[in-house]
Amino acid sequence: MQASTSQHDKVIRREFAWAWVWLTLVMSLTVGGVVTTLLWGDKTAEHGSAFDAGWKSAAAVLAVLAAFISVDRLRLSQREHRRQLIADEATQRDAIARQITDLSSKASDQLGSEKAAVRIGGMTDLERLAEAYPQLRQTVVDRICAYLRGPYRPPFNYNDEGFGRSGGDGAGDDREGPWEGPAGDNELAERRLELDVRRTAQKILKRHLHWPSNVKERPLSFWKEISLDLRDATLVEMDLSGCRMNSVDFRNAQFHRTTVFNDIKFPEDTSFQRAIFWGDAWFGKTTFPNDVQFDGAKFAGDASFQGADFKEVAFFNRAHFQGKVYFNSASIGDGFFYRVSFDGEVTFGAIFKNAVTFEGATFASEVHFDRAQILNPGAQHAWPPGWRVEPDPDAPNGTSRLVRDMRTEQGASRAEDDDT
């Protein structure tokens, strides 16, 4: 700033360089005198013409001086204007930075308040901050995600039985899991108030990431290039259907009640490793453009992947499905269902493009492969016991299908008879 001021002072001093003015005046008088002398002649008429040419020559020199002075003043004026703009921009940036710091500090204080209403106010203040300053949107989303990653035990009065529970419908049951008993009234009230705060945070994410596939133009409320880091988060009634994100991470997250991810084109980096879905999970018409990992995930309710498109590799190794599972009309590149536990009815009416393995998978109920299509029957497949691949006479291009292996079933039946 001091260097800029010094330079400005030098410019101002050059503006009043009177020596050049006096020098130009002397030059103009000299040029006028020389021209007059050269054209003076012997006659009176020639004297008048010489004098006229002389003062015009002097005036021309002065006009050149005036032109240079005008150009210099214009240049100085432009420099001053630019300097003022830079100073104004710096002042504005400082003001914005102070305002952002104040709003951010206020929102942080609100999120740490003991009152749920104040925490909700902090969430909405963060949203307004991101709306006003687009460069802060990822920072605001990171702060919201950090809040959702905080420890929380929701009240279980949603008919949400979870793993390992038996008996009852769960109505009015506020246990945290099969290992905890009912909570006190004050604790339940606090959890329910905190639930409102978390719902507000999730709605903010949904509101600004929602861009359905059937909408061509980007919505005005959409925040582009947003990444979600929700590892270890506790999410209740999470609904991101029709949303678009830059990257997502749901490792070790816990989803309570119904979770909806319909009509999403997930980014390349997507992981649900060891996530727990305590309620139903819907992934209808969802696209996974790259590998997706559900290794070790647990689904306490029904899980639907109807119409989902797994373009590369779908990892479900050691996952546990307690309810019904639907893969009807799904498209699976490579599928790994190694040691998966299916406790409920399973329907795999999917298109299997490459290798698929169900090695070590257990089925406690019936499994259906009706309308399943095998595009690469020569790949390294490992189908569940009692199923085999055969060409489909009704399908073109060598597509195969899965059918019951009667020989295996008959062999198993004879083995049971022999044991008897």
Side-chain angles (χ1 to χ4, degrees):
M1 191 68 180
Q2 292 178 354
S4 177
T5 303
S6 176
Q7 183 179 4
H8 178 64
D9 292 341
K10 292 180 180 179
V11 171
I12 295 299
R13 286 196 297 270
R14 286 199 300 269
E15 184 181 5
F16 295 96
W18 293 105
W20 289 101
V21 176
W22 290 111
L23 178 61
T24 304
L25 289 174
V26 172
M27 289 179 62
S28 67
L29 293 175
T30 303
V31 170
V34 171
V35 171
T36 302
T37 302
L38 292 175
L39 299 178
W40 187 254
D42 298 330
K43 300 178 181 180
T44 304
E46 293 177 352
H47 296 171
S49 299
F51 183 79
D52 185 60
W55 76 261
K56 286 182 179 181
S57 298
V61 174
L62 292 177
V64 172
L65 172 64
F68 276 112
I69 292 176
S70 299
V71 170
D72 190 59
R73 289 181 63 85
L74 178 61
R75 180 173 55 84
L76 293 173
S77 177
Q78 290 176 341
R79 286 186 179 179
E80 178 63 20
H81 180 66
R82 286 197 297 269
R83 188 197 65 80
Q84 189 61 43
L85 287 178
I86 293 173
D88 292 343
E89 290 176 358
T91 302
Q92 185 178 10
R93 285 197 300 269
D94 292 341
I96 291 175
R98 287 194 297 269
Q99 184 180 10
I100 291 174
T101 302
D102 294 341
L103 292 175
S104 180
S105 300
K106 179 182 177 182
S108 298
D109 293 340
Q110 288 175 315
L111 292 180
S113 174
E114 295 181 356
K115 298 181 179 180
V118 177
R119 296 197 296 274
I120 291 176
M123 289 290 179
T124 56
D125 285 346
L126 284 176
E127 181 182 15
R128 285 195 294 267
L129 185 65
E131 283 285 88
Y133 306 105
Q135 69 273 22
L136 296 178
R137 289 175 179 175
Q138 183 61 60
T139 302
V140 168
V141 170
D142 290 342
R143 190 166 298 186
I144 293 175
C145 290
Y147 186 90
L148 292 173
R149 290 196 303 268
Y152 174 60
R153 294 179 294 180
F156 275 83
N157 56 354
Y158 303 130
N159 298 326
D160 193 354
E161 280 298 293
F163 288 91
R165 299 184 184 181
S166 61
D169 59 3
D173 186 358
D174 286 289
R175 294 173 295 174
E176 290 308 319
W179 55 87
E180 291 192 61
D185 292 340
N186 292 335
E187 185 178 353
L188 283 179
E190 292 179 359
R191 294 184 196 176
R192 287 168 180 160
L193 291 173
E194 172 62 12
L195 182 58
D196 291 336
V197 182
R198 289 176 172 263
R199 281 173 172 162
T200 300
Q202 293 175 185
K203 287 179 180 178
I204 291 174
L205 297 179
K206 172 68 178 290
R207 184 158 48 242
H208 297 290
L209 298 178
H210 190 250
W211 185 356
S213 58
N214 59 351
V215 177
K216 294 183 179 181
E217 295 185 0
R218 187 180 71 183
L220 295 177
S221 60
F222 181 78
W223 295 350
K224 63 180 181 179
E225 298 181 355
I226 294 299
S227 299
L228 296 182
D229 183 1
L230 290 169
R231 292 171 294 174
D232 307 299
T234 301
L235 308 167
V236 182
E237 297 175 338
M238 188 66 170
D239 181 3
L240 290 179
S241 57
C243 290
R244 304 188 189 188
M245 297 139 297
N246 199 42
S247 66
V248 293
D249 192 345
F250 290 108
R251 285 176 293 174
N252 301 305
Q254 296 200 31
F255 300 89
H256 296 271
R257 216 173 181 182
T258 301
T259 301
V260 184
F261 289 110
N262 293 333
D263 189 28
I264 295 181
K265 183 178 181 180
F266 276 101
E268 294 186 358
D269 300 327
T270 305
S271 178
F272 289 90
Q273 287 181 292
R274 298 176 300 278
I276 300 179
F277 297 85
W278 293 100
D280 296 338
W282 307 110
F283 290 85
K285 296 183 179 180
T286 297
T287 301
F288 299 95
N290 209 334
D291 299 352
V292 58
Q293 297 183 348
F294 285 91
D295 293 338
K298 297 181 179 180
F299 297 82
D302 297 341
S304 175
F305 294 89
Q306 297 193 73
D309 187 3
F310 299 87
K311 293 186 177 298
E312 296 295 335
V313 184
F315 293 97
F316 285 89
N317 298 323
R318 300 181 185 275
H320 184 188
F321 294 90
Q322 194 172 26
K324 297 180 180 179
V325 184
Y326 305 93
F327 279 90
N328 294 334
S329 302
S331 176
I332 302 176
D334 291 284
F336 290 88
F337 297 88
Y338 175 74
R339 291 193 177 183
V340 178
S341 300
F342 296 98
D343 295 348
E345 186 176 351
V346 186
T347 303
F348 271 101
I351 300 174
F352 298 98
K353 297 180 180 179
N354 296 311
V356 180
T357 178
F358 287 89
E359 183 181 356
T362 59
F363 299 86
S365 186
E366 192 171 3
V367 55
H368 304 277
F369 284 96
D370 300 336
R371 297 185 299 278
Q373 299 180 38
I374 316 301
L375 301 187
N376 188 3
Q380 296 295 323
H381 300 298
W383 301 108
W387 293 89
R388 63 183 176 85
V389 178
E390 70 173 21
D392 188 350
D394 299 327
N397 302 325
T399 300
S400 300
R401 63 182 180 180
L402 280 174
V403 296
R404 291 282 187 181
D405 192 347
M406 303 305 296
R407 295 170 297 179
T408 303
E409 293 185 356
Q410 291 174 0
S413 177
R414 285 196 300 267
E416 291 179 0
D417 293 340
D418 293 342
D419 292 339
T420 303

